[in-house]
Amino acid sequence: MTTVLVTGATGTIGTQVVKSLKGKDVTLRIGLRDPSKGDAFRADGAEVVAYDYDRPETLEAAFAGVDRVFLMTPFVESALPLVQRAVAAAKAAHVKFILRLSAFGADPHATRALMLDHGQCDSAIKDSGIPWAIVQPQVFQDNTLTSRLPTIKSQNAFYGASKGGRLAVVSSADVGAVAAEILSNPDPHRGQVYMLTGPEALTNTEAAEKLSQVTGRTISYIDLAPEAYHGALTGAGLPPWAADAIVGLDLATARSEASAVTPTVQEILGRPAETFDAFLTRHREQF
Ligand SMILES: NC(=O)c1ccc[n+]([C@@H]2O[C@H](COP(=O)([O-])OP(=O)(O)OC[C@H]3O[C@@H](n4cnc5c(N)ncnc54)[C@H](OP(=O)(O)O)[C@@H]3O)[C@@H](O)[C@H]2O)c1
């Protein structure tokens, strides 16, 4: 049976990749920084191995005997060395296919550091000599449940600097389902870069209105000057590079650089991408 290694399996997208791969005809191997935390995966029949970019010696063993890899890197200042480490280990283990989790707007010539880094990581995969595909998702709908949740709960508000710019946020469930489809049948997807979006591009004010409808509370989007938003993010504990990345995304959104809606989720899954309304309704209890 084909063995698929899933990295980042405890994260937003990795969780969904594992969930969607369960119904597929593959053997699952889960790479965790701390394999002792893998009991839930083991209970589902998966093998759990150590996988830690900061301990490169774990990578080669994790890739040994693996056919296909879902390769994600965490949100770090530069993921390129991590991808380079993974590619070296995957080559040594004769891995046959890599699906990389990138980001919408990734470009090896981008001026924004995060998009430049993602673009360079994409290039490292394309140049690896290992058959590949890349998914470039738009901003996750799930950020409403993670980075935005604290102020939604405590202040009935969330913040940004995107003005009236539109963004076609995508659900992690759709990204995971697309990834699982590609990993279970990679041949038609080899050498493809897929930009994944939700079905509609929304302003943050519209997103706040939808949140208000679903929760029954008035939840506001508060648009800040870029410097003020940056200060709020660093004040909340984010390192400056991360605040730069988040504010940079909002400024690109304000310039309408991120408003595209792609048909790719529908094309690959044969059903429409999840709407933000449906996502919020599915997670209503968490707000
Ligand atoms: N958020 C967005 O809107 C968005 C949109 C497009 C693209 N992206 C990209 O998506 C990626 C993040 O994906 P995500 O949101 O699914 O991740 P996430 O929820 O932030 O989870 C991070 C995952 O990485 C693992 N991890 C952390 N450090 C590691 C290390 N040293 N070695 C191995 N694994 C490590 C974590 O494992 P532990 O359980 O050990 O902590 C966890 O499973 C980033 O590349 C980001 O740029 C994000």
Side-chain angles (χ1 to χ4, degrees):
M1 179 118 69
T2 301
T3 298
V4 176
L5 170 68
V6 178
T7 65
T10 58
T12 302
I13 300 299
T15 300
Q16 299 297 327
V17 175
V18 171
K19 197 173 169 185
S20 292
L21 275 174
K22 269 182 202 161
K24 309 282 187 187
D25 193 21
V26 296
T27 298
L28 264 184
R29 182 181 292 184
I30 305 294
L32 295 184
R33 279 195 286 188
D34 181 357
S36 73
K37 294 185 177 160
D39 285 349
F41 296 111
R42 285 189 200 91
D44 274 344
E47 179 191 3
V48 178
V49 297
Y51 186 94
D52 186 344
Y53 288 112
D54 298 329
R55 291 186 296 136
E57 68 278 8
T58 61
L59 302 190
E60 211 162 311
F63 285 125
V66 163
D67 298 290
R68 304 170 193 164
V69 181
F70 175 72
L71 190 72
M72 68 80 65
T73 45
F75 181 43
V76 290
E77 186 168 12
S78 174
L80 184 57
L82 281 52
V83 169
Q84 288 169 333
R85 261 170 241 161
V87 164
K91 280 172 99 161
H94 304 291
V95 165
K96 299 184 190 76
F97 181 77
I98 295 178
L99 174 63
R100 179 178 130 72
L101 175 64
S102 178
F104 193 99
D107 177 351
H109 307 291
T111 49
R112 284 194 284 143
L114 181 66
M115 293 302 124
L116 173 67
D117 184 49
H118 268 302
Q120 291 176 334
C121 291
D122 289 354
S123 298
I125 295 296
K126 292 176 185 176
D127 296 342
S128 68
I130 301 172
W132 57 270
I134 295 171
V135 285
Q136 296 180 334
Q138 188 48 279
V139 168
F140 307 152
Q141 295 175 357
D142 309 61
N143 293 354
T144 328
L145 297 173
T146 53
S147 51
R148 285 189 163 159
L149 192 62
T151 62
I152 289 173
K153 281 191 148 176
S154 63
Q155 303 173 22
N156 283 327
F158 64 91
Y159 295 83
S162 61
K163 301 194 185 300
R166 292 182 178 277
L167 202 57
V169 285
V170 65
S171 82
S172 64
D174 282 348
V175 178
V178 165
E181 181 59 35
I182 295 171
L183 287 163
S184 60
N185 181 25
D187 283 351
H189 305 289
R190 280 188 187 189
Q192 298 295 318
V193 178
Y194 292 121
M195 295 187 290
L196 306 178
T197 74
E200 58 194 339
L202 302 170
T203 65
N204 271 329
T205 301
E206 289 167 348
E209 286 164 5
K210 290 179 182 300
L211 262 166
S212 303
Q213 279 160 15
V214 165
T215 59
R217 316 195 303 270
T218 301
I219 295 175
S220 306
Y221 167 63
I222 300 174
D223 198 75
L224 301 175
E227 303 74 23
Y229 186 36
H230 195 282
L233 292 169
T234 53
L238 260 69
W241 66 262
D244 288 350
I246 293 168
V247 174
L249 168 70
D250 272 25
L251 294 179
T253 304
R255 292 191 300 269
S256 300
E257 290 174 15
S259 59
V261 175
T262 70
T264 315
V265 169
Q266 162 98 51
E267 285 170 358
I268 292 179
L269 299 180
R271 56 141 177 95
E274 186 170 26
T275 63
F276 193 48
D277 283 313
F279 172 85
L280 294 175
T281 303
R282 196 155 58 82
H283 295 284
R284 186 196 304 264
E285 306 305 322
Q286 288 166 263
F287 300 106

